[in-house]
Amino acid sequence: FNASIVVHLIICFLILILAETVGLWFLLHKLKVPTERLDDVFWVYQISVVSLLFQIMQTPFMASLIACEKMDLFAKIGIFDAFQRWLMVFLFTFIGFNNKIVSYALFLLIGYIFVFLVYAVICISKISICKINIRLKENGLLLKEIFSFSSWSMIGSLSVVGVSQGTALLTYYFVGVVANGSIWLSEQVLIAFNRVIGTLQTAINPQIIKQYSVGNSGEVEQLLSLSYKLTAFVIMISAVPAFVDASCIIGLWLNQVPPYLVDLVKIVIIYILVDSLSGPYVTAIYAVG
């Protein structure tokens, strides 16, 4: 756990350096931002970087809950997260702000800090392994192993980020802001589906890894089959109707449907149908190491 904390601190430090150098340069010199909005964009960017750092440091605590199979606590924190997001939106709607975009970013940051603190307090108080006692010399070998293992996962994560954000940037440059808004809305559909699928698979993943570690290959195969079937079932009953009636559902969601959005949502749903079914096997690969 302490080695994981150190790894995530190092990742935060590297991301902060990149964000405040390359990222800031790209924001100020390459994006076509109106001069009168440049200050707002700058502060939203800085607040977003801080929000990202809190989300990264939250990961070891989430992993500890999942590894110890404290699914009741994991679910309660998830409910708290959903409630505080709704509360933030409710307060934001009814409180007048002079600068709404910066205020919205601040509200999101406050929410991320709250959730991080809840994870940290619950894990430290309820889970015996979550005792922060960082010793770099003693954990040196373990740090090397974690970096070696996580580097492959990081490449995969960076590729996913590159696809989503790269698509948004290319759309922004070559199509326009309206199409970029449709891309962002379709991303929200992808995030919503991934959250449901991720929650389902998270409940099974610890058992897959545990059974593999004790050499119970038969149980691993059964768990993989169960995870695959449950994921396929959940996707079919949610994604297929959403694909067939995408225009109607989006019409209920938005008063004015942006151009390209219906087609983009359908493309996202096809992507989800393919990608989500790989989740159980990715967990098996992680179990092998």
Side-chain angles (χ1 to χ4, degrees), residues 153-173:
S153 178
M154 193 176 297
I155 291 172
S157 300
L158 288 174
S159 67
V160 173
V161 173
V163 168
S164 62
Q165 301 307 311
T167 302
L169 285 173
L170 290 173
T171 305
Y172 175 79
Y173 271 108

Side-chain angles (χ1 to χ4, degrees), residues 114-133:
F114 274 151
V115 174
F116 168 78
L117 291 175
V118 169
Y119 269 111
V121 170
I122 288 180
C123 287
I124 291 172
S125 61
K126 299 289 185 180
I127 302 177
S128 59
I129 63 172
C130 296
K131 304 300 179 186
I132 299 177
N133 183 20

Side-chain angles (χ1 to χ4, degrees), residues 241-283:
F243 182 89
V244 174
D245 246 347
S247 57
C248 178
I249 294 172
I250 293 171
L252 294 173
W253 179 24
L254 303 170
N255 291 327
Q256 294 182 341
V257 180
Y260 317 113
L261 181 58
V262 174
D263 293 332
L264 285 170
V265 167
K266 288 184 176 181
I267 292 171
V268 164
I269 291 172
I270 293 172
Y271 168 79
I272 291 167
L273 287 169
V274 176
D275 182 68
S276 62
L277 298 179
S278 66
Y281 300 103
V282 171
T283 303

Side-chain angles (χ1 to χ4, degrees), residues 8-28:
H8 284 81
L9 284 172
I10 294 172
I11 292 172
C12 285
F13 178 71
L14 294 175
I15 288 176
L16 185 61
I17 290 175
L18 288 173
E20 295 301 326
T21 53
V22 178
L24 197 58
W25 169 81
F26 187 85
L27 176 72
L28 297 176

Side-chain angles (χ1 to χ4, degrees), residues 13-250:
F13 178 71
L14 294 175
I15 288 176
L16 185 61
I17 290 175
L18 288 173
E20 295 301 326
T21 53
V22 178
L24 197 58
W25 169 81
F26 187 85
L27 176 72
L28 297 176
H29 296 93
K30 293 299 180 181
L31 289 185
K32 302 172 184 178
V33 180
T35 306
E36 65 274 10
R37 304 294 291 177
L38 193 59
D39 286 343
D40 294 342
V41 172
F42 172 80
W43 286 112
V44 169
Y45 176 78
Q46 297 294 344
I47 294 168
S48 300
V49 170
V50 177
S51 300
L52 175 61
L53 298 181
F54 274 102
Q55 290 180 76
I56 292 172
M57 289 309 303
Q58 176 180 299
T59 305
F61 299 102
M62 292 178 61
S64 299
L65 283 175
I66 295 169
C68 296
E69 298 185 60
K70 300 288 185 179
M71 295 305 171
D72 55 335
L73 295 175
F74 187 76
K76 289 175 182 176
I77 298 175
I79 294 170
F80 169 78
D81 186 16
F83 175 76
Q84 66 88 18
R85 286 172 187 265
W86 171 83
L87 181 62
M88 291 292 178
V89 172
F90 179 81
L91 292 174
F92 185 80
T93 303
F94 283 91
I95 299 175
F97 295 98
N98 294 328
N99 193 326
K100 288 193 173 182
I101 187 170
V102 176
S103 301
Y104 180 69
L106 282 171
F107 266 63
L108 290 178
L109 174 59
I110 292 169
Y112 287 129
I113 293 173
F114 274 151
V115 174
F116 168 78
L117 291 175
V118 169
Y119 269 111
V121 170
I122 288 180
C123 287
I124 291 172
S125 61
K126 299 289 185 180
I127 302 177
S128 59
I129 63 172
C130 296
K131 304 300 179 186
I132 299 177
N133 183 20
I134 297 174
R135 298 177 181 177
L136 295 178
K137 291 184 178 180
E138 295 181 9
N139 295 328
L141 182 60
L142 188 57
L143 284 172
K144 183 179 178 181
E145 292 178 358
I146 291 175
F147 267 117
S148 176
F149 177 81
S150 62
S151 60
W152 295 105
S153 178
M154 193 176 297
I155 291 172
S157 300
L158 288 174
S159 67
V160 173
V161 173
V163 168
S164 62
Q165 301 307 311
T167 302
L169 285 173
L170 290 173
T171 305
Y172 175 79
Y173 271 108
F174 296 106
V175 183
V177 178
V178 174
N180 203 243
S182 297
I183 289 283
W184 183 84
L185 289 169
S186 64
E187 285 276 342
Q188 303 313 301
V189 176
L190 176 63
I191 290 170
F193 274 106
N194 281 338
R195 185 170 295 174
V196 174
I197 297 163
T199 303
L200 173 66
Q201 293 179 348
T202 297
I204 303 175
N205 289 347
Q207 277 297 319
I208 294 175
I209 296 172
K210 181 185 290 185
Q211 294 302 322
Y212 180 85
S213 65
V214 298
N216 194 346
S217 57
E219 187 68 21
V220 171
E221 291 178 5
Q222 291 181 13
L223 288 168
L224 285 173
S225 177
L226 175 63
S227 180
Y228 185 88
K229 290 175 182 177
L230 287 175
T231 301
F233 175 74
V234 170
I235 286 298
M236 290 301 175
I237 64 173
S238 57
V240 172
F243 182 89
V244 174
D245 246 347
S247 57
C248 178
I249 294 172
I250 293 171

